[in-house]
Amino acid sequence: MLATAPDSILMGRHVLHVPDLSATEIDVVIRVAAHLKITRTSDQQTLLRGKTLGMLFEKPSLRTRVSFEVGMTQLGGHALFASGGEFMVGSRETPEDAARVLSRYVDAILVRTHAHEPLQRFSAAATVPVINGLSAVAHPCQALADLLTIKERFDTLAGLKLAYVGDARNNVAASVAEAAMLVGISVNFGCPPTHRPSEAFLAQLQSLGAATGATARAFSSAHRAVRDADVVYTDVWTSMGEEHLAERNAATLLPYRVTGELMSAAAKHAIFMHCLPAHRDEEVAPDVIDGPQSAVFDQAENRLHAQKALLVALLTDLRGMPV
Ligand code: CP
Ligand code: NVA
């Protein structure tokens, strides 16, 4: 049902990590995303007409860069892209100066950085919404798209179980787990001690899940972690910027590869998720990622819909949206 009154709960906000959003706000983004997904793009051209998104990338990207740029085009706005030598947060001028200047040109800024701290400084000085397009510690846009994907598959979120297997200390693990806890999905990590979330982070997850009763636990056994899971999730063993750890990670994480045999310990209806890019025969077996349980290309597509919803929520009062 379309709302009669506008709801501007997210307008003007920064999204650096998932807990910048409440469970209600996440629900709004997912509902708007589902609405935009089934609406003709020709009917969306006025939503962000005349708006510009600045996209600043210190690291490579396929999905994030292209889905945000296409999203802005479909919404009637414009995106501009700067990467590598053209833009490194804090290298040519302070993050604060760059943020103050850009805020005078564009309506929102998407940033992909190595370290998280310059992004925090950048957003503190920005006067337009700043979205984290992946930093060393968080990938909130991925998590929003993933919740949309899970909702499409199960028609509900609260009460489900998600197992995250592999490098459970990385950005995707953190954001997916935070989002899951907020909406009532319990999370089991399956990982070796070297890649286990800190006790402090596990405690933060527990408090995010307090309202819904969702729990977060870490197991050294991948099989124990995925037992009865509705969703089995993994990501690369070595994230961008950590290439010097690749050899150690490959040896340590080998028992945590998601194989058909591991998937058989999950619920029969379980889906396999991966943010992509993936490495077949490293973190996931080809028959799993290319098999019938895989949801990875729906996840990738849903980046577009979830991010369009986020942009509309940050830049408009959501008039006409199903909120
Ligand atoms: N999943 C994801 O963020 O992909 P890219 O690194 O290609 O943007
Ligand atoms: N953890 C990965 C995610 C890539 C989308 C990385 O940071 O490289």
Side-chain angles (χ1 to χ4, degrees), residues 268-303:
K268 274 202 171 50
H269 59 253
I271 60 170
F272 170 73
M273 298 182 77
H274 190 309
C275 60
L276 303 179
H279 301 104
R280 286 167 176 77
D281 275 333
E282 289 186 32
E283 72 272 7
V284 59
D287 60 323
V288 172
I289 191 168
D290 299 318
Q293 289 171 288
S294 178
V296 302
F297 297 109
D298 286 346
Q299 287 178 262
E301 178 187 336
N302 283 337
R303 294 293 303 277

Side-chain angles (χ1 to χ4, degrees), residues 57-181:
F57 279 57
E58 289 183 356
K59 295 195 274 203
S61 171
L62 173 68
R63 280 144 289 269
T64 309
R65 186 244 164 117
V66 176
S67 55
F68 265 103
E69 186 161 343
V70 170
M72 282 303 288
T73 304
Q74 291 182 355
L75 294 167
H78 175 71
L80 62 86
F81 177 70
S83 72
E86 273 182 290
F87 180 77
M88 294 288 281
V89 180
S91 66
R92 198 159 160 258
E93 56 195 319
T94 66
E96 289 82 4
D97 282 356
R100 288 183 194 114
V101 171
L102 282 165
S103 296
R104 295 186 180 216
Y105 299 146
V106 302
D107 300 283
I109 307 170
L110 172 70
V111 188
R112 172 168 284 198
T113 53
H114 284 284
H116 194 71
E117 193 260 341
L119 176 60
Q120 288 173 313
R121 286 177 54 189
F122 183 92
S123 64
T127 54
V128 298
V130 175
I131 304 168
N132 181 359
L134 182 148
S135 67
V137 302
H139 198 1
C141 299
Q142 182 68 51
L144 291 172
D146 292 341
L147 290 185
L148 174 62
T149 307
I150 296 170
K151 185 96 187 281
E152 288 174 342
R153 296 293 179 121
F154 294 97
D155 204 34
T156 183
L157 293 172
L160 295 176
K161 292 183 200 158
L162 181 148
Y164 186 100
V165 182
D167 179 7
R169 295 181 75 106
N170 80 12
N171 41 18
V172 171
S175 290
V176 168
E178 288 169 338
M181 297 300 284

Side-chain angles (χ1 to χ4, degrees), residues 19-48:
D20 287 334
L21 305 173
S22 67
T24 305
E25 291 162 353
I26 289 174
D27 183 55
V28 166
V29 173
I30 293 171
R31 277 189 290 126
V32 172
H35 170 74
L36 293 174
K37 187 169 179 174
I38 57 165
T39 311
R40 284 183 314 204
T41 51
S42 56
D43 292 338
Q44 301 173 7
Q45 284 284 309
T46 55
L47 288 170
L48 294 186

